[in-house]
Structure formats: structure tokens, C-alpha cells
């Protein structure tokens, strides 16, 4: 706006200067015209005086004087003609000066009009530029506000997703702690049963040792009979143990779905959550590992019934994890399901010992069917 005002004032100043120059020249031309008019009037007065004097003298002159008067009249006529020519030239010059003044005034007016038009054009251009700048600033502010709103919405969505993920993680940790508590309880029960078995065996050994000492102190005649009785007792004990073993082998049942532990190893949190929700919907127990190393640590704590692994993971990848699983006697027969988006991994997966290779996207029914086959192959005590 300051620049527009400056240009406007400059245009007005130029117009004023041009107007003052035109007025000055017009005053000069008018002064010259007044001087010439006064000079013409003086000459006319002198001519009138000469004519009046000539008329007075003509009445009084003699014939000779008449000739002189005639000559004088001719001179005066020549003077009058010269004055008339001079007046005509002055009138022509005055008309030329008037025309020049009109042209100069028109030129000055045209220049002033051009200056005004240029100033107006600059003002309009600056107003348009200012309007465009304001519109651009408004659009930029609107874009920034929209971007800020979208960023806030994205942050809110991220926060909600994190809260859901945290809730899922807490639920998974609670399920893992519950599973660990069940495992510890089972382990304690097994340890207690083992302690009772060892106590019974120790008591049996002590009783046998006492019996042996008593038999040694017995007479040689009874030794034969006691040895025969011991052999018969051993045979009966072996038969009873075999019967107990057969009965124990028969008293088993298949593994329930809620007892089946599935270990999922994948570095993608989205994949882990997706598979975890799918398996939890089938009542399977689920353990999650984001790397091959973590999967091995979880298997050392509790052996799973099925391992689901990705191919590409940081550190130990899916193939190396499968090879280490097959190398351990405790997990050599563990079913391993591998998920990959590549079609050229079949040979490498077979060489590593992968049980079944699933592509991406995989069929959820195929995944559940593979886990079910592994679950039905496991027998547990009834």
C-alpha cells in the first residue's frame, strides 16, 4: 500500500509540473501577442494621422504640392500594404502559435493521462497482487489447519492403536503368566510324584537289604529256599510292573485345544497380533516371539506343540531357527509351519526340516488344519 501511494503521488507531481510548464508557455505567448497587437495599433494610429494630415495639406497645396502629396499618398499606401502584410503574417503566426499551444496542451494532457493510466494500472496490478497474496496466505493457512487436524487425527488413531496393542499385550502376558503358573503346578506335581517314587524305591531297597542280611545269617539250607522265593518275587514284581506299564500306556488321552501351546515367531507385530487373535479364537494357548533368539528362549522355558515362523527375521531367520529346532533332541519332532511370500523357498525349507510351507496370503483354514494335525498326534496322561 505504501508503494501504491508513492506511485500515485509521483504521477500527480508529474501532472502538476507539466501543467505549470504549459501555463508558463501560454503566458509567454500571450505577452508576445499583446506586444504585437499594441505595435499594430500604434502603426494604425500613425497611418490615420498621416492620412488626416495629407487631406489637410491637399486642400491647401498647389499643383506642385499636389504631385508631392500624390507621391506621399503612394508611400503611405505602400506603408499601409506593408502593415497589412505584417498584420496578416502576425495573424498567421498567432494562429500557428495557438495551434502549437493546443498541440502542446494536448500532448501534455496525453502525457498526464498516460501517467494517470500507468499509475492506475500499477495500482490495479498491486491490488491484484495483494489480493492474490492474501488468497494464497488464506489457502496456506487453510492447508496448514487441515494438515494439523489430520496430524491430530492420525496421532489420536495411533494412540488408540497403541492402547489396544497395550491391552492385547497385557492380556497376552496375563495368559502367559497363567500358563506358566499351570506349568509350574504341573512341574511341582511331577516333582512330588517323582519324590514319592524315589522314597518308595529307597524303602524297597532298604527292605531288600535287610532281607538280604537276614537271609545271609540264615542257614545254608534255608538259603536255597529263600533264593527261590526271591526269584519268584522278582518275577511277580516284573509281571506287576509290566501290567502297570501296560495299564499306564492305555490310560492316555488326546491333547485338548486349550492345552495346545503354539509359538509364533515373526518380526512383524501386525502378523503376530493377527495370528494370535486367530488362534485365541480357537482356544489355543499362544506364545509370541519377535525374533529367532526369543523363540529359542521361550522353547527352553516351555516346549510348544507347534512352531509357526516367518522366513526373514533379524538375527536368526526362519531357516536357521528350524535347523536349531531339529538339532535338539527335545524338539526334533516339533511340527514347524513356515509362512513366506516367495515361491522359490520350497527346496530350502525342505532341507531345513520345515513340516509345512504356507504362502502369503495363507489360508486360515489350512493353518488351523495343520495345528489340529499336530495336536491330535500328541497323547497325554488321562
Amino acid at each position: 500500500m505504501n508503494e501504491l501511494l508513492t506511485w500515485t503521488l509521483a504521477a500527480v507531481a508529474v501532472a502538476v509540473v507539466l501543467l505549470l510548464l504549459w501555463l508558463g508557455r501560454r503566458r509567454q505567448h500571450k505577452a508576445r501577442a499583446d506586444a504585437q497587437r499594441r505595435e499594430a495599433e500604434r502603426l494604425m494610429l500613425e497611418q490615420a494621422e498621416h492620412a488626416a494630415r495629407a487631406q489637410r495639406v491637399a486642400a491647401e497645396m498647389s499643383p506642385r504640392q499636389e504631385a508631392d502629396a500624390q507621391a506621399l499618398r503612394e508611400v503611405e499606401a505602400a506603408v499601409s500594404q506593408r502593415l497589412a502584410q505584417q498584420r496578416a503574417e502576425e495573424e498567421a503566426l498567432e494562429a500557428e502559435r495557438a495551434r502549437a499551444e493546443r498541440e502542446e496542451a494536448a500532448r501534455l494532457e496525453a502525457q498526464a493521462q498516460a501517467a494517470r493510466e500507468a499509475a492506475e494500472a500499477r495500482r490495479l496490478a498491486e491490488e491484484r497482487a495483494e489480493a492474490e497474496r492474501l488468497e494464497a496466505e488464506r489457502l496456506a493457512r487453510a492447508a496448514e489447519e487441515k494438515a494439523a487436524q489430520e496430524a491430530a487425527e492420525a496421532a489420536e488413531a495411533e494412540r488408540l492403536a497403541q492402547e489396544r496393542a497395550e491391552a492385547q499385550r497385557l492380556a497376552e502376558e496375563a495368559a502367559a503368566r497363567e500358563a506358566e503358573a499351570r506349568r509350574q503346578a504341573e512341574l511341582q506335581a511331577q516333582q512330588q510324584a517323582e519324590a514319592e517314587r524315589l522314597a518308595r524305591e529307597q524303602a524297597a531297597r532298604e527292605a531288600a537289604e535287610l532281607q538280604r542280611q537276614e537271609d545271609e545269617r540264615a542257614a545254608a539250607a534255608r538259603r536255597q529256599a529263600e533264593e527261590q522265593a526271591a526269584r519268584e518275587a522278582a518275577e511277580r514284581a516284573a509281571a506287576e510292573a509290566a501290567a502297570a506299564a501296560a495299564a499306564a500306556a492305555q490310560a492316555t488321552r488326546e491333547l485338548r485345544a486349550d492345552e495346545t501351546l503354539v509359538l509364533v515367531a515373526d518380526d512383524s507385530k501386525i502378523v503376530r497380533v493377527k495370528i494370535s487373535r486367530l488362534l485365541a479364537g480357537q482356544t489355543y494357548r499362544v506364545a509370541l516371539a519377535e525374533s529367532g533368539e526369543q523363540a529359542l528362549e521361550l522353547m527352553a522355558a516351555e516346549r510348544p506343540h507347534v512352531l509357526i515362523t516367518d522366513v526373514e527375521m533379524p538375527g536368526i531367520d526362519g531357516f536357521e531357527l528350524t535347523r536349531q529346532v531339529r538339532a535338539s533332541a527335545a524338539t526334533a519332532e516339533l511340527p514347524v509351519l513356515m509362512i513366506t511370500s516367495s515361491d522359490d523357498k520350497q527346496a530350502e525349507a525342505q532341507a531345513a526340516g520345515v513340516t509345512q510351507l504356507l504362502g502369503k496370503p495363507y489360508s486360515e483354514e489350512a493353518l488351523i488344519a495343520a495345528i489340529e494335525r499336530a495336536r491330535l498326534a500328541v497323547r497325554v496322561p488321562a
Side-chain angles (χ1 to χ4, degrees), residues 30 90 104 150 172 176 185 291:
K30 186 176 181 181
E90 289 175 353
E104 180 68 15
E150 291 176 352
E172 291 171 356
S291 64

Side-chain angles (χ1 to χ4, degrees), residues 171-187 258-262 284-287 301-302:
E172 291 171 356
E173 289 179 355
R177 286 195 295 271
E178 183 179 355
E180 180 65 18
R182 287 198 299 270
R183 190 184 67 81
Q184 293 292 340
E186 292 173 357
L187 183 60
D258 59 352
E259 296 175 334
T260 304
L261 177 59
V262 180
Y284 295 124
R285 296 167 55 206
V286 182
E302 181 179 5

Side-chain angles (χ1 to χ4, degrees), residues 348-360:
E348 190 174 359
Q350 187 175 1
V354 175
T355 305
Q356 184 174 352
L357 193 66
L358 299 175
K360 287 183 180 179

Side-chain angles (χ1 to χ4, degrees), residues 142-265:
E144 290 175 355
E145 292 174 356
K146 183 177 180 181
Q149 183 178 3
E150 291 176 352
E153 292 175 354
E156 181 65 17
E158 179 66 19
R159 184 184 65 80
L160 293 176
Q162 290 178 355
E163 289 179 355
R164 287 194 296 270
E166 181 66 16
Q168 180 67 22
R169 185 185 65 80
L170 293 175
E172 291 171 356
E173 289 179 355
R177 286 195 295 271
E178 183 179 355
E180 180 65 18
R182 287 198 299 270
R183 190 184 67 81
Q184 293 292 340
E186 292 173 357
L187 183 60
Q188 290 178 358
Q190 292 176 0
Q191 291 175 352
Q192 184 176 359
E194 182 68 15
E196 291 175 356
R197 186 184 64 80
L198 292 174
R200 287 194 300 270
E201 289 179 356
Q202 181 67 24
R205 284 194 297 271
E206 290 176 357
E209 181 65 21
L210 291 174
Q211 185 66 36
R212 186 185 61 80
Q213 293 176 0
E214 184 177 353
D215 291 342
E216 287 177 354
R217 289 191 298 268
R222 294 181 55 192
R223 185 175 301 164
Q224 185 70 30
E226 290 174 352
E227 288 177 356
Q228 182 64 30
R231 282 195 298 273
E232 292 175 355
E235 290 175 355
R236 286 195 301 272
E240 292 174 356
Q250 293 176 356
T252 59
R253 61 175 176 83
E254 68 180 23
L255 186 67
R256 295 195 309 271
D258 59 352
E259 296 175 334
T260 304
L261 177 59
V262 180
L263 175 58
V264 179

Side-chain angles (χ1 to χ4, degrees), residues 271-327:
V271 174
R272 294 198 306 271
V273 172
K274 179 181 177 182
I275 296 178
S276 174
R277 290 178 178 174
L278 174 63
L279 299 183
Q282 301 294 324
T283 70
Y284 295 124
R285 296 167 55 206
V286 182
L288 300 176
E290 61 185 24
S291 64
E293 292 84 352
Q294 188 177 8
L296 292 174
E297 293 176 0
L298 293 176
M299 282 190 285
E302 181 179 5
R303 191 179 75 180
H305 299 99
V306 180
L307 170 61
I308 301 175
T309 180
D310 188 17
V311 175
E312 297 180 356
M313 293 186 294
I316 298 177
D317 61 4
F319 294 124
E320 179 61 26
L321 175 60
T322 304
R323 284 191 286 269
Q324 293 194 25
V325 167
R326 294 288 178 253

